[in-house]
Amino acid sequence: MQYSQKVIDHFMNPHNVGKMEHPDAVATEGSPACGDQVTVYLKVNEETKVIEDIKFQSYGCASNIATGSIITDLAIGKGIEEAKTITWKEAAEALDGLPPVKMHCSVLAVDTLRAAIQNYEIAKGLIPIPEFSKETIIEELKKVIYPQVGEDIVTLKMVKYAGLDDGVATIDLDIPKFDNFRDNVVEEIREHLEKYPQVKNVIINY
Ligand code: FES
């Protein structure tokens, strides 16, 4: 697999790695695509809401370590509102790209950063606990990467319908029958949605 020099550099010498004592917020997220995990710790200035310190721990692949490292560089010194807008594409670009089958590693890193920020906001009473809705499902589907091209299935218009009715999530997919990645995509959607206690059943039509 071809990695950029930046991915190799961040993998060999990751920035801001390790556990933080007494963080203001922490989040651990796992990738349904591979089972790897990232933990992000934050120290946030109470007055300015600027991320003054950030650390991460990785339990996964080289891209997992490299993307964990790069998001700490991207987020440190930013206000939480700005840090929330960092996208997985920006993280991948900051590493001079990732192989398409490794794009989900940058999704995991950014997802964990956002979860840590959200935990901070909830703990400080800045936002209410988010309600589970159809929008939550669509946001989760945007994290499912089609590995052949390294793009998410919503952007690729593979999702024809997404609905939520009485705890049943229904997804209609447009994905060729003989596509090698079809089963991976279906499995990943399930894992993204089944982690929510509000989801009693997931129906995927394809
Ligand atoms: Fe699991 Fe990279 S393969 S995060």
Side-chain angles (χ1 to χ4, degrees):
M1 197 171 300
Q2 195 64 36
Y3 287 116
S4 71
Q5 189 56 46
K6 268 205 180 162
V7 172
I8 294 166
D9 290 347
H10 278 269
F11 168 55
M12 300 296 280
N13 294 297
H15 306 174
N16 305 304
V17 74
K19 190 173 178 190
M20 183 188 289
E21 297 302 327
H22 312 300
D24 293 322
V26 61
T28 298
E29 294 283 319
S31 166
C34 64
D36 293 342
Q37 280 191 329
V38 175
T39 298
V40 169
Y41 304 86
L42 297 178
K43 269 251 181 281
V44 180
N45 185 299
E46 183 103 35
E47 303 250 299
T48 62
K49 302 288 181 274
V50 165
I51 297 173
E52 291 185 329
D53 197 9
I54 176 166
K55 290 217 177 315
F56 83 101
Q57 288 176 303
S58 162
Y59 312 91
C61 71
S63 304
N64 183 317
I65 294 166
T67 52
S69 173
I70 200 75
I71 57 129
T72 64
D73 283 353
L74 291 172
I76 199 160
K78 286 196 169 81
I80 55 173
E81 287 302 327
E82 194 183 353
K84 270 196 280 190
T85 65
I86 296 168
T87 65
W88 58 266
K89 286 187 188 176
E90 284 167 10
E93 276 164 21
L95 288 168
D96 292 339
L98 283 168
V101 293
K102 289 287 179 181
M103 275 300 178
H104 71 265
C105 313
S106 66
V107 174
L108 174 63
V110 168
D111 208 20
T112 314
L113 170 65
R114 287 186 183 168
I117 293 172
Q118 189 178 77
N119 287 346
Y120 176 82
E121 293 176 310
I122 292 170
K124 296 290 176 189
L126 300 172
I127 59 166
I129 296 172
E131 281 199 14
F132 187 85
S133 67
K134 184 181 150 183
E135 279 60 48
T136 317
I137 291 179
I138 292 167
E139 285 310 308
E140 288 297 324
L141 294 175
K142 285 182 188 168
K143 298 175 192 170
V144 177
I145 304 296
Y146 179 56
Q148 191 164 335
V149 294
E151 184 58 89
D152 75 87
I153 60 171
V154 174
T155 302
L156 289 171
K157 301 199 177 353
M158 287 177 157
V159 179
K160 291 295 162 205
Y161 171 80
L164 178 67
D165 185 20
D166 200 20
V168 179
T170 303
I171 316 296
D172 291 349
L173 282 185
D174 183 7
I175 185 165
K177 212 175 185 127
F178 299 108
D179 189 305
N180 283 342
F181 293 106
R182 194 172 72 142
D183 291 346
N184 299 54
V185 168
V186 168
E187 190 54 31
E188 205 182 325
I189 292 171
R190 281 196 187 288
E191 292 186 17
H192 269 280
L193 299 181
E194 285 173 353
K195 70 182 181 187
Y196 289 94
Q198 297 92 334
V199 175
K200 292 185 230 149
N201 195 10
V202 178
I203 297 170
I204 304 173
N205 302 309
Y206 56 98

